[in-house]
Amino acid sequence: MTVDDNAGESGTADEAPRRTLGVWFVGARGAIATTVAYGLEAVASGLRGPIGLVSELPEFAGLGLASLDSIVVGGWEVRPGTIARAAADLAANGVLPQDVVAKSAAVGVDARTAPGIARKDDPSASPASRERGELPLREQVRVLGEDLAAFAGSTGVDTVVVVNVASTEAVVATPECASDLAALERALDADEKLPQSVIYAYAALRAGCPHVNFTPSPGASWPALRELAREMSLPHCGDDGKTGETLVKTTLAPMFAHRALKVRAWQGYNMLGNRDGETLSDPANKGAKLRTKDAALRSILGDPKDLHTHVGIDFVPSLHDWKTAWDFVHFEGFLGARMSLQFTWSGSDSALAAPLVIDLVRFTELAKRRGESGELAHLASFFKSPLSGGSHDFHVQFAALVDYARRATTGS
């Protein structure tokens, strides 16, 4: 029995009745999930406008996306605390407006939050999460599936979309079981050591829930999990939300390519201050993030052998949820003239990410309703390292999303 028994439902978006949509976060009291919960209420109530929501652009008005006031939030969280405490921290650092926090009922998310799975040696995790992390893998999958079923049953939502916004996992060698579903099933039976993001993704798909991976962690990116998504007729998308420096890179880099300018070097430097920044201060965790940042740029520029690229990431605690990126681009023009471009990008990580998460949840639920399954190529513009979609060029990616909306609306 799966959480959503409406798999395969089709028809044009405009014909769809009003539906309720559940968002179940991996990392339910993290900065992004907290900003989503409070932001949804603020926009749905009219307290704030839908700035930053791609799904509210005129190009997508005819899709029949789930209404913002129909979305219910819950999730897994490994750390103790409350969403009110998380919101207070974000408000103190200028991310959430004080009036939005004061007037919100998002504190109800705590009642819809279950322990996640954590290592027994994780000092920041709650005892319940560490206890779950000690269970055999099949038991972990079972209890996670029960959480999803309980959420759907208690809220009455039509569909639950699971979204991973947890901290980036350390880079590890990809095991042989990643290659196909049968091998992964054997690994689960044998209780092999697997990334937590993979366990969450497997549990979500087995429960009939579409999956969104907003992190550079493996999630549902392994061939085995992609196979499972197809077997379950479920849509999914990822990896690693494109919110800041890489967004600018994938917008600017095509300019150099289209003007036949030779980029000699693209040097970037990032400073982050939130929990993500703290996690990325560990070189093992940082590796996954750097890989997704560099791949997009090289893809757009044709990966010339003499191109120098580098991205540095440092943790600056006093920045809290804010991040700053400085980039230096050294390029060659006509007759070998050497020129340069520099830009600085500074913004709130959660305020940039939260609306994209809402967009992805709405578009993914629509894909589920339309009977689509597998990787959602039309959502590539939201990710640094999209599972499908071809070009990393942001302009090409966004055009593909608009074309999808046109075809979905007209039926062509």
Side-chain angles (χ1 to χ4, degrees):
M1 184 65 156
T2 61
V3 170
D4 183 357
D5 292 323
N6 296 307
E9 182 178 320
S10 59
T12 63
D14 286 330
E15 295 171 351
R18 176 182 169 85
R19 295 163 62 87
T20 52
L21 169 58
V23 184
W24 188 264
F25 284 111
V26 183
R29 284 194 290 266
I32 294 176
T34 301
T35 305
V36 168
Y38 281 82
L40 274 171
E41 285 203 9
V43 177
S45 67
L47 190 61
R48 287 293 189 279
I51 296 174
L53 284 171
V54 175
S55 55
E56 287 293 293
L57 291 174
E59 292 91 333
F60 312 110
L63 283 175
L65 296 167
S67 62
L68 297 174
D69 63 356
S70 73
I71 300 176
V72 184
V73 176
W76 292 299
E77 179 56 65
V78 299
R79 293 175 297 159
T82 65
I83 195 170
R85 180 66 263 171
D89 290 342
L90 289 168
N93 290 301
V95 179
L96 287 178
Q98 294 285 356
D99 63 323
V100 167
V101 174
K103 296 179 181 179
S104 177
V107 290
V109 172
D110 283 331
R112 301 186 294 273
T113 299
I117 50 176
R119 302 185 313 273
K120 65 178 180 180
D121 60 346
D122 184 348
S124 67
S126 67
S129 293
R130 291 198 295 269
E131 183 178 336
R132 281 189 165 194
E134 285 296 289
L135 294 172
L137 293 185
R138 285 295 184 187
E139 279 297 292
Q140 291 183 23
V141 170
R142 182 186 63 79
V143 297
L144 295 177
E146 289 176 350
D147 293 335
L148 292 168
F151 174 61
S154 64
T155 59
V157 294
D158 297 290
T159 299
V160 177
V161 178
V162 174
V163 183
N164 185 2
V165 290
S167 297
T168 302
E169 294 174 340
V171 177
V172 295
T174 303
E176 291 184 8
C177 67
S179 60
D180 68 86
L181 182 56
L184 179 59
E185 297 288 3
R186 291 193 295 271
L188 288 166
D189 290 335
D191 209 31
E192 293 183 11
K193 185 176 178 60
L194 298 174
Q196 291 169 339
S197 65
V198 170
I199 302 302
Y200 285 122
Y202 178 89
L205 294 172
R206 275 296 179 206
C209 300
H211 183 268
V212 175
N213 185 15
F214 207 72
T215 80
S217 303
S221 66
W222 285 1
L225 273 297
R226 297 189 193 198
E227 183 181 345
L228 177 59
R230 292 191 296 272
E231 178 183 292
M232 298 294 294
S233 299
L234 290 168
H236 67 108
C237 56
D239 291 332
D240 200 4
K242 185 160 64 176
T243 60
E245 183 198 26
T246 307
L247 173 64
V248 180
K249 281 182 174 180
T250 57
T251 303
L252 281 178
M255 175 189 71
F256 293 98
H258 297 162
R259 283 298 175 90
L261 298 170
K262 182 178 179 61
V263 176
R264 307 295 303 236
W266 198 308
Q267 187 87 3
Y269 178 60
N270 294 251
M271 294 178 287
L272 297 87
N274 57 13
R275 181 172 170 82
D276 194 34
E278 183 177 8
T279 300
L280 293 174
S281 64
D282 184 328
N285 299 75
K286 186 186 298 185
K289 197 78 170 180
L290 295 179
R291 184 171 51 196
T292 61
K293 280 178 168 289
D294 195 47
L297 181 61
R298 287 190 167 273
S299 173
I300 293 171
L301 296 176
D303 199 16
K305 300 304 179 186
D306 57 349
L307 171 64
H308 167 80
T309 62
H310 178 77
V311 179
I313 301 178
D314 281 336
F315 175 47
V316 183
S318 62
L319 287 177
H320 298 288
D321 194 67
W322 297 83
K323 61 182 180 181
T324 296
W326 171 77
D327 277 53
F328 175 83
V329 186
H330 195 209
F331 64 97
E332 183 178 326
F334 193 51
L335 305 179
R338 298 291 179 94
M339 294 166 274
S340 66
L341 165 71
Q342 299 181 51
F343 68 84
T344 303
W345 172 275
S346 182
S348 161
D349 195 43
S350 300
L352 290 164
L356 303 186
V357 170
I358 296 170
D359 292 328
L360 285 165
V361 167
R362 298 175 86 192
F363 285 126
T364 302
E365 186 276 334
L366 174 66
K368 175 70 168 65
R369 198 188 326 155
R370 287 170 49 83
E372 300 169 18
S373 62
E375 303 91 3
L376 300 178
H378 60 281
L379 299 182
S381 64
F382 292 94
F383 299 104
K384 295 185 184 74
S385 183
L387 294 178
S388 182
S391 175
H392 283 278
D393 183 327
F394 179 75
H395 310 283
V396 174
Q397 292 174 333
F398 185 73
L401 178 59
V402 173
D403 183 61
Y404 168 86
R406 179 191 58 78
R407 289 184 284 107
T409 302
T410 63
S412 61

